[in-house]
Amino acid sequence: MNPRYTRSGSTRVMGNISLGSGLLTSLLMVSPNNPSFGAYVLAALLVLTGLALRIEAALLSRAP
């Protein structure tokens, strides 16, 4: 098994988990009764981290 594909796959999975948890966090905090700025910052950081990991996985899988 090629280690590059293994690393790419695990990076893609971590990106998906980070994206999903960031989006879930932002959806759970859409309550008008309890607005929390810190939760939105955390959700934004998780989503940006997930996007960066997905981009890294795409670049790893294309590298010669």
Side-chain angles (χ1 to χ4, degrees), residues 1-60:
M1 182 182 290
N2 192 346
R4 182 177 50 153
Y5 292 118
T6 305
R7 182 172 175 218
S8 173
S10 62
T11 305
R12 186 173 290 122
V13 168
M14 286 303 297
N16 285 340
I17 290 171
S18 181
L19 274 171
S21 59
L23 292 174
L24 182 65
T25 302
S26 67
L27 285 176
L28 291 175
M29 289 292 129
V30 180
S31 171
N33 299 334
N34 189 13
S36 175
F37 182 71
Y40 287 118
V41 171
L42 175 65
L45 286 175
L46 285 170
V47 168
L48 289 176
T49 302
L51 287 174
L53 287 171
R54 294 284 308 214
I55 291 171
E56 180 185 358
L59 292 176
L60 281 174

